[in-house]
C-alpha cells in the first residue's frame, strides 16, 4: 500500500494576465490531496460506499492518469482512494493536486521512476485532456511546491505566509471567465492590453518584496491587483464583500485567487489578525479557513 500527497495552490498575483504570456506568482498551500493505492482484483476507485470500477465519466482525471501508465508499464489491478482537504471547483487547484498525487502514488507502486519534471508534464497532459485547455500552473506548483514565477516556471525563494481563504461557495467556470476576458480584450485591445501589462508589472514588483519579506507592500500590491481584476469583469458582489471584510479586519491585502466570478479570495495576514480576519470573512458570507504557504510539493507519505 502506498500513499502520496500533493498541495493545492493560490495565485498571489497575475491570474488572467498569465493567459497572455504575462508574469504571475503562484504558491503551494498546506491544503493537500492524499491518494492511497493498493493491490486489487481490477482497477477500482474506493469510496465511502465501497469500491467501484474506474469509470471515465465519473473519474476523468484518474482514468486519464491510468491510461498514461498503460503506456509505461503493465497496469495490473489497483485500488485508488482519494482524500482531499482542498475544496473542489473553487480555484485552489484541487483537480491538479489529485492528479499529481495519483501519478506519484502509481509511479511508486509500479516503480516507473518518473522524475518531478515527468510528473508535472504528465499532470498537465491529463488536465489538458480532461478540461480541453489548462495552464501548466496548477500541476507545476502541485508537483514542485513553493512559490513559482509563471510562465518562466522559476522557483522563488520560499517565504512562510499566513493566508485566510474565503470561499464564496459559488461555482465558476474558468473556461467561461477566460473567454469573457478574451472578448473584452477584443473590444478594447489597448485598454485591456495595458491592464494586463500593469498586472504583470505588479507580479514582477511583488517578487522583490516577497523575497525581502516585506508583506505590507506585498499586501498593498495585492489590493492594486484586485482592483484590476475587478476592472476586467472577473469580480463578483460576493467576492468583493469578502475582500472588503478581510481588509476592514486588518488583512495586509486581499484579492481574488484564480479565475474569479465565484470561487475563492485570499487575504494575506499577520499572525495577530489571523483569526479576526477569518471570522470577518465568515460573517461576510464566506466559508473561511486559515492556511500557510508551503514549500512541499508532491511526496510519498
Ligand atoms: O481558477 P483557476 O485556479 O483554474 O485559475 C485560473 C487562472 C487563469 O489565469 C484565469 C487561467 C489560467 O489558466 O492561468
Amino acid at each position: 500500500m502506498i500513499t502520496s500527497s500533493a498541495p493545492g495552490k493560490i495565485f498571489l498575483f497575475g491570474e488572467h494576465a498569465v493567459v497572455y504570456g504575462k508574469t504571475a506568482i503562484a504558491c503551494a498551500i498546506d491544503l493537500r490531496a492524499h491518494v492511497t493505492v493498493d493491490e486489487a482484483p481490477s482497477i477500482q476507485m474506493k469510496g465511502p460506499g465501497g469500491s467501484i470500477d474506474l469509470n471515465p465519466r465519473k473519474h476523468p482525471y484518474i482514468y486519464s492518469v491510468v491510461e498514461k501508465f498503460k503506456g509505461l508499464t503493465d497496469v495490473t489491478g489497483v485500488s485508488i482512494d482519494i482524500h482531499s482537504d482542498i475544496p473542489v471547483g473553487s480555484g485552489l487547484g484541487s483537480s491538479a493536486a489529485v492528479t499529481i498525487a495519483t501519478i506519484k502514488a502509481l509511479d511508486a507502486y509500479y516503480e516507473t521512476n518518473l522524475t518531478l519534471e515527468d510528473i508535472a508534464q504528465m499532470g498537465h497532459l491529463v488536465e489538458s485532456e480532461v478540461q480541453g485547455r489548462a495552464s501548466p500552473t496548477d500541476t507545476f506548483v502541485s508537483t514542485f511546491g513553493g512559490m513559482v514565477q509563471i510562465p518562466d516556471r522559476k522557483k522563488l525563494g520560499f517565504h512562510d505566509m499566513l493566508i485566510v481563504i474565503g470561499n464564496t461557495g459559488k461555482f465558476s467556470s474558468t473556461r467561461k471567465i477566460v473567454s469573457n476576458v478574451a472578448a473584452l480584450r477584443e473590444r478594447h485591445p489597448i485598454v485591456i492590453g495595458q491592464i494586463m501589462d500593469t498586472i504583470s508589472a505588479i507580479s514582477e514588483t511583488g517578487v522583490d518584496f516577497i523575497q525581502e519579506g516585506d508583506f505590507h507592500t506585498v499586501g498593498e500590491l495585492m489590493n492594486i491587483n484586485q482592483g484590476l481584476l475587478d476592472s476586467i469583469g472577473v469580480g463578483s458582489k460576493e467576492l468583493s464583500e469578502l475582500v472588503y471584510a478581510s481588509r476592514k479586519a486588518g488583512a495586509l491585502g486581499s484579492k481574488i485567487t484564480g479565475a474569479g466570478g465565484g470561487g475563492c479570495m485570499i487575504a494575506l495576514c499577520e499572525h495577530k489578525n489571523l483569526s479576526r480576519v477569518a471570522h470577518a470573512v465568515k460573517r461576510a458570507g464566506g466559508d473561511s479557513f486559515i492556511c500557510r504557504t508551503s514549500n512541499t510539493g508532491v511526496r510519498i507519505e
Side-chain angles (χ1 to χ4, degrees):
M1 184 162 96
I2 289 168
T3 299
S4 70
S5 74
K9 69 98 199 23
I10 53 172
F11 273 99
L12 287 172
F13 306 111
E15 53 274 87
H16 287 290
V18 74
V19 173
Y20 302 98
K22 308 293 178 190
T23 303
I25 310 296
C27 189
I29 50 175
D30 60 357
L31 299 179
R32 300 179 74 84
H34 291 79
V35 174
T36 301
V37 299
D38 202 357
E39 214 177 300
S42 59
I43 304 175
Q44 301 174 343
M45 293 301 297
K46 268 196 180 165
S51 294
I52 55 168
D53 280 343
L54 186 64
N55 176 322
R57 270 189 303 278
K58 281 197 185 124
H59 321 110
Y61 293 94
I62 309 299
Y63 183 86
S64 171
V65 170
V66 169
E67 288 300 300
K68 299 271 171 298
F69 271 84
K70 285 182 180 167
L72 295 176
T73 185
D74 190 13
V75 173
T76 51
V78 66
S79 70
I80 300 168
D81 192 7
I82 299 170
H83 291 274
S84 179
D85 317 324
I86 310 164
V88 176
S90 57
L92 298 177
S94 99
S95 63
V98 165
T99 301
I100 295 299
T102 305
I103 295 172
K104 181 73 182 172
L106 291 179
D107 173 55
Y109 186 75
Y110 292 117
E111 298 178 350
T112 39
N113 295 320
L114 298 178
T115 62
L116 287 179
E117 273 297 339
D118 297 334
I119 290 173
Q121 210 179 345
M122 187 188 285
H124 181 227
L125 271 178
V126 166
E127 285 227 309
S128 304
E129 266 174 36
V130 176
Q131 299 174 5
R133 178 202 157 280
S135 94
T137 309
D138 290 16
T139 38
F140 186 85
V141 173
S142 191
T143 304
F144 288 93
M147 295 202 187
V148 179
Q149 184 169 328
I150 313 284
D152 323 47
R153 304 185 351 146
K154 189 167 100 191
K155 240 189 123 165
L156 305 171
F158 178 71
H159 275 270
D160 189 16
M161 293 165 94
L162 294 169
I163 307 281
V164 169
I165 296 182
N167 188 351
T168 61
K170 294 258 175 345
F171 174 80
S172 77
S173 154
T174 298
R175 193 194 287 235
K176 183 157 186 299
I177 291 172
V178 168
S179 95
N180 290 347
V181 173
L184 190 69
R185 183 168 169 265
E186 252 171 52
R187 289 199 295 281
H188 307 287
I190 295 172
V191 173
I192 302 297
Q194 288 183 2
I195 290 173
M196 296 306 184
D197 286 341
T198 307
I199 293 177
S200 200
I202 291 171
S203 302
E204 281 153 26
T205 309
V207 170
D208 295 335
F209 290 105
I210 292 169
Q211 302 300 356
E212 287 167 20
D214 179 349
F215 297 148
H216 281 88
T217 308
V218 172
E220 190 168 71
L221 289 167
M222 286 169 71
N223 291 344
I224 300 172
N225 193 159
Q226 169 63 16
L228 294 172
L229 286 169
D230 244 336
S231 79
I232 59 171
V234 304
S236 73
K237 181 172 175 282
E238 290 85 358
L239 281 164
S240 286
E241 276 165 4
L242 305 191
V243 162
Y244 283 108
S246 69
R247 289 183 195 165
K248 195 166 171 222
L252 297 174
S254 50
K255 61 180 273 295
I256 292 164
T257 182
C264 292
M265 53 70 72
I266 52 171
L268 175 62
C269 295
E270 291 172 293
H271 190 267
K272 62 178 188 202
N273 291 329
L274 201 52
S275 57
R276 184 139 54 102
V277 171
H279 281 119
V281 168
K282 197 165 222 128
R283 272 199 306 279
D287 186 10
S288 77
F289 40 100
I290 292 169
C291 72
R292 325 175 79 100
T293 51
S294 165
N295 206 18
T296 311
V298 68
R299 69 170 182 209
I300 297 295
E301 292 293 321

